[in-house]
């Protein structure tokens, strides 16, 4: 025969068994749902500026800052050097242009001189030739009266002057050709070469 305490224990056990079964089922069902539910999508990566954690990081950035400052200073100095070189080249080109203009002016003056010299030499040669012809014509006209001239020593001087005049006619004719053709053309070539050198 059972006692009242035993009957109470049996009653409690019978009441607690359904609760235990139901809680176990709930845990299993929850685990099952967790398996079926897909995992949440990963959070997007966002760029964030991380501040240096210690003063040592600031010290590490200083060499980079010094490097960029030095590089900027080098670029500024290089730009100044380029400007100075460009200015010097411009001034040198101006000086060269002035020098070329002066040289061309001098060459033109020399050409003009030889052109006029050729005219003068040609005129002088013509005048000497006319003088020589006049002296010869007069000597032939008065040949009978001048037969005794050959006996005098002064005749040698007269004859030398006449022959020298004829020689000077040839000399000044050649000089006129040299000044008017060769020298003028030569200095014209020099002027063209000077212009070509400046153009290069």
């Amino acid at each position: 025969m059972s006692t009242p305490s035993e009957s109470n224990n049996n009653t409690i056990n019978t009441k607690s068994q359904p609760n235990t079964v139901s809680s176990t089922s709930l845990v299993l069902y929850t685990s099952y749902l967790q398996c079926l539910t897909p995992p949440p999508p990963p959070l997007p990566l966002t760029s964030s500026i991380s501040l240096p954690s210690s003063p040592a990081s600031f010290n590490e950035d200083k060499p980079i800052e010094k490097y960029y400052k030095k590089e900027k200073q080098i670029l500024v100095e290089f730009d100044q050097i380029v400007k100075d070189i460009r200015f010097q080249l411009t001034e040198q080109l101006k000086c060269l242009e002035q020098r070329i203009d002066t040289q061309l002016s001098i060459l033109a003056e020399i050409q003009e001189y030889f052109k006029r010299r050729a005219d003068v030499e040609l005129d002088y040669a013509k005048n000497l030739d006319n003088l020589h012809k006049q002296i010869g014509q007069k000597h032939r006209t008065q040949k009978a009266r001048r037969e005794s001239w050959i006996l005098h020593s002064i005749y040698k001087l007269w004859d030398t002057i006449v022959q020298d005049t004829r020689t000077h006619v040839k000399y000044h004719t050649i000089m006129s050709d040299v000044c008017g053709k060769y020298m003028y053309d030569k200095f014209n070539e020099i002027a063209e070469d000077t212009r070509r050198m400046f153009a290069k």
Side-chain angles (χ1 to χ4, degrees), residues 20-32:
T20 303
V21 171
S22 62
S23 63
T24 303
S25 300
L26 181 61
V27 169
L28 290 174
Y29 182 71
T30 304
S31 300
Y32 176 72

Side-chain angles (χ1 to χ4, degrees), residues 79-92:
D79 186 53
Q80 185 63 36
I81 291 172
V82 170
K83 289 181 180 178
D84 293 339
I85 293 174
R86 187 180 291 112
F87 176 76
Q88 291 177 5
L89 289 176
T90 303
E91 292 298 320
Q92 289 177 359

Side-chain angles (χ1 to χ4, degrees), residues 60-71:
E60 291 176 358
D61 292 339
K62 284 184 179 180
I64 299 176
E65 185 178 355
K66 288 181 180 179
Y67 172 77
Y68 283 116
K69 285 184 178 179
K70 187 175 181 180
E71 186 177 3

Side-chain angles (χ1 to χ4, degrees), residues 2-199:
S2 62
T3 61
S5 61
E6 290 177 356
S7 62
N8 288 333
N9 288 333
N10 290 331
T11 304
I12 292 170
N13 288 333
T14 55
K15 288 181 179 180
S16 62
Q17 284 178 358
N19 291 333
T20 303
V21 171
S22 62
S23 63
T24 303
S25 300
L26 181 61
V27 169
L28 290 174
Y29 182 71
T30 304
S31 300
Y32 176 72
L33 288 177
Q34 288 178 354
C35 292
L36 293 178
T37 305
L43 295 175
L45 296 176
T46 57
S47 61
S48 60
I49 301 174
S50 60
L51 295 175
S53 59
S54 63
S57 300
F58 288 105
N59 294 330
E60 291 176 358
D61 292 339
K62 284 184 179 180
I64 299 176
E65 185 178 355
K66 288 181 180 179
Y67 172 77
Y68 283 116
K69 285 184 178 179
K70 187 175 181 180
E71 186 177 3
K72 185 177 180 180
Q73 183 179 1
I74 291 173
L75 290 175
V76 171
E77 292 177 356
F78 179 76
D79 186 53
Q80 185 63 36
I81 291 172
V82 170
K83 289 181 180 178
D84 293 339
I85 293 174
R86 187 180 291 112
F87 176 76
Q88 291 177 5
L89 289 176
T90 303
E91 292 298 320
Q92 289 177 359
L93 284 175
K94 288 181 181 178
C95 294
L96 181 61
E97 186 176 359
Q98 292 176 357
R99 182 179 178 182
I100 294 297
D101 291 339
T102 304
Q103 289 180 349
L104 291 176
S105 299
I106 295 172
L107 287 173
E109 193 72 22
I110 294 173
Q111 281 183 303
E112 185 67 21
Y113 165 79
F114 279 109
K115 184 179 180 181
R116 293 184 179 182
R117 175 73 180 271
D119 295 337
V120 170
E121 294 289 344
L122 184 60
D123 291 339
Y124 187 56
K126 289 179 179 180
N127 292 331
L128 286 177
D129 188 47
N130 291 332
L131 178 62
H132 179 267
K133 288 179 180 179
Q134 290 174 4
I135 292 175
Q137 183 68 28
K138 185 178 180 180
H139 183 66
R140 285 190 296 271
T141 303
Q142 300 178 3
K143 187 176 182 180
R145 295 175 55 185
R146 297 183 178 186
E147 288 181 353
S148 61
W149 280 24
I150 196 171
L151 301 175
H152 300 276
S153 60
I154 197 69
Y155 173 79
K156 296 288 290 183
L157 177 61
W158 177 87
D159 187 61
T160 302
I161 292 173
V162 172
Q163 296 300 325
D164 187 65
T165 302
R166 184 174 179 81
T167 303
H168 275 77
V169 170
K170 294 180 180 180
Y171 170 77
H172 288 286
T173 302
I174 295 171
M175 191 66 183
S176 175
D177 292 337
V178 170
C179 292
K181 295 179 181 179
Y182 177 77
M183 296 300 293
Y184 185 85
D185 294 340
K186 189 65 177 178
F187 279 101
N188 193 25
E189 291 178 3
I190 294 173
E192 291 297 328
D193 292 340
T194 304
R195 292 190 186 94
R196 193 179 301 110
M197 289 175 62
F198 177 72

